[in-house]
């Protein structure tokens, strides 16, 4: 890579790190940049996952107060995201990229819509529920969908944060800022597991990994402070707008 391309990758890491802790579509920024500087798609995907792992770590540290409020939910998110990521990471190495990439934009689009309508739909469901107690634990159904989201995170990852927010938003009655923190933690867990697998058996571009990591570790921490301060309605709107825009770009490219 030229020095200009290296700066572009570093900047992509910073921007994607902020997105990791806020709107949750980080890979849709960093992955295309790696492809644009000449990395093969699969190498770009694996290098992107490894390079973006520090963003999840620093972002989760920034959200440590929110994560400590519900330790059992945090543990459930860690286990399900990590378990799913094992399957997704292996699928990435075994299957052609076209198998899943064809449905990625539609998955992102659908989950963005779910995030947008979740407050009204959740109110409707609570009004017609027989049990009025707030849901502050992860049910079996929610755990299954969280595991599937973790698998998607290990396979491709773009939009997995938005998907996890939709899963936790419908499956629990936690505050939106807490769901956002759990989403960042889930992305971190998925990326850490995938990183271990990719370092062991996948092809990586270590220069790209290093540049992304340097940018993303700063961006993830900065993004956690932004995400905590943004009003829930504003953050939800940003997630929907950015997610729909990213899905549209993927469909037309």
């Amino acid at each position: 890579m030229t020095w200009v391309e290296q700066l572009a990758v570093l900047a992509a890491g910073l921007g994607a790190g902020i997105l990791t802790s806020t709107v949750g579509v980080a890979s849709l920024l960093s992955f295309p940049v790696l492809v644009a500087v000449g990395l093969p798609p699969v190498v770009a995907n694996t290098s992107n996952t490894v390079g973006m792992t520090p963003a999840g770590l620093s972002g989760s540290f920034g959200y440590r107060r929110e994560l400590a409020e519900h330790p059992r939910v945090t543990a459930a998110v860690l286990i399900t995201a990590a378990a799913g990521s094992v399957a997704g990471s292996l699928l990435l190495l075994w299957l052609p990229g076209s198998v899943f990439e064809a449905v990625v934009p539609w998955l992102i689009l659908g989950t963005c819509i779910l995030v947008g309508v979740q407050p009204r739909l959740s109110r409707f469901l609570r009004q017609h529920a027989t049990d009025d107690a707030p849901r502050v634990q992860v049910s079996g159904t929610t755990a299954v969908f969280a595991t599937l989201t973790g698998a998607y995170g290990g396979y491709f990852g773009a939009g997995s944060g938005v998907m996890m927010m939709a899963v936790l938003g419908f499956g629990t009655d936690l505050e939106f800022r807490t769901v956002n923190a759990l989403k960042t933690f889930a992305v971190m867990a998925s990326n850490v597991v995938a990183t271990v697998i990719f370092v062991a058996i996948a092809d990586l571009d270590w220069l790209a990994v290093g540049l992304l990591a340097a940018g993303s570790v700063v961006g993830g921490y900065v993004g956690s402070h932004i995400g905590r301060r943004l009003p829930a309605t504003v953050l939800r709107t940003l997630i929907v707008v950015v997610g729909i825009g990213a899905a549209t770009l993927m469909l037309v490219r």
Side-chain angles (χ1 to χ4, degrees), residues 150-248:
Y152 171 73
Y155 185 89
F156 187 68
S160 63
V162 177
M163 295 178 189
M164 186 60 76
M165 291 192 77
V167 169
L168 295 175
F170 280 106
T172 70
D173 293 321
L174 300 173
E175 291 184 43
F176 194 70
R177 63 177 178 84
T178 303
V179 171
N180 197 32
L182 290 166
K183 170 266 295 178
T184 302
F185 191 64
V187 171
M188 180 277 297
S190 180
N191 281 356
V192 166
V193 171
T195 291
V196 172
I197 295 173
F198 292 159
V199 168
I201 60 177
D203 291 330
L204 298 168
D205 186 302
W206 285 105
L207 176 58
V209 168
L211 292 169
L212 277 181
S216 72
V217 71
V218 177
Y221 188 71
V222 171
S224 68
H225 290 276
I226 296 173
R228 177 182 293 120
R229 286 168 172 77
L230 283 176
T233 301
V234 174
L235 184 56
R236 190 184 300 275
T237 301
L238 285 173
I239 290 169
V240 173
V241 171
V242 173
I244 290 176
T248 302

Side-chain angles (χ1 to χ4, degrees), residues 12 15-17 19-20 24-34 44-45 48-49 52 108 152-153 156-161 187 191 212 246 250 253:
L19 292 176
T20 295
V25 289
S27 293
L28 296 176
L29 171 62
S30 52
F31 174 74
V33 172
L34 295 184
N45 201 355
N48 178 70
T49 297
M52 289 304 302
I108 296 172
Y152 171 73
F156 187 68
S160 63
V187 171
N191 281 356
L212 277 181
M250 295 181 71
R253 70 179 181 177

Side-chain angles (χ1 to χ4, degrees), residues 62-85:
Y63 281 124
R64 59 193 180 278
R65 293 200 303 272
E66 285 80 2
L67 296 174
E69 291 175 1
H70 300 278
R72 292 180 63 183
V73 178
T74 300
V77 167
L78 172 66
I79 293 170
T80 54
S85 183

